[in-house]
Amino acid sequence: MSGLDAALAGAVRWINTNLLVDTVRITLPATGGPVYNPDTGQNEYPEGEVLYEGPGAVQGGTAQSEISATPDAGQMWVQETKSRYRLMTPLTAPLAPKDAIVTVIGVHNVANTALLGRSWTTQDPSRAATTEVVRITPLDQNQAPREGT
């Protein structure tokens, strides 16, 4: 093992132990229409295929410039924003495809429970490099439903 390989292996161990401490799920978006659930009396969309569930971390951008607004084609004003986040998973996790859905399903710190129930969409496939220590996938936070809609 070369010096670089040994250093990268040490960094991978540190990241897996100290950074990837929450549980994330990556799913493909559900296809098809809603299905009636007789137990709830509601139409519900089916779950998407789970591609990965395991250790990970979601981090927001560190600069205000990482939030940008996108105009809606039918509006004269800006309605939605793009919020830059990144998903980090172990190198053993599969590459997430573009438009997959990422959710945090378990947090190591009870102060971070606000992450539970939020979701993000992958903006591009997971990044790959020749000297990786963690898999990074760019994300955009999904907007919460508006009240009364």
Side-chain angles (χ1 to χ4, degrees):
M1 180 181 280
S2 74
L4 177 59
D5 290 337
L8 292 176
V12 167
R13 277 191 303 279
W14 188 92
I15 287 170
N16 288 347
T17 302
N18 297 292
L19 183 64
L20 306 180
V21 294
D22 294 324
T23 305
V24 298
R25 179 183 294 146
I26 303 171
T27 59
L28 292 176
T31 57
V35 177
Y36 179 73
N37 180 339
D39 295 333
T40 64
Q42 301 290 319
N43 287 331
E44 299 172 359
Y45 283 92
E47 294 287 325
E49 177 188 351
V50 176
L51 301 176
Y52 172 77
E53 187 172 301
V58 173
Q59 292 187 329
T62 58
Q64 183 64 25
S65 63
E66 295 198 39
I67 298 175
S68 60
T70 307
D72 185 337
Q75 301 291 328
M76 294 175 20
W77 60 88
V78 173
Q79 256 185 317
E80 301 292 342
T81 60
K82 298 280 186 189
S83 302
R84 307 291 182 223
Y85 285 78
R86 63 189 144 269
L87 168 67
M88 289 181 272
T89 52
L91 295 176
T92 55
L95 295 172
K98 183 178 181 343
D99 298 326
I101 306 299
V102 173
T103 53
V104 176
I105 60 171
V107 293
H108 75 286
N109 183 340
V110 295
N112 296 338
T113 56
L115 289 171
L116 300 173
R118 292 169 72 179
S119 68
W120 295 263
T121 301
T122 58
Q123 294 176 315
D124 289 306
S126 298
R127 296 177 180 157
T130 56
T131 55
E132 288 183 299
V133 293
V134 67
R135 184 161 328 267
I136 298 173
T137 306
L139 302 174
D140 179 31
Q141 182 172 263
N142 293 325
Q143 300 292 324
R146 292 188 177 100
E147 295 297 321
T149 59

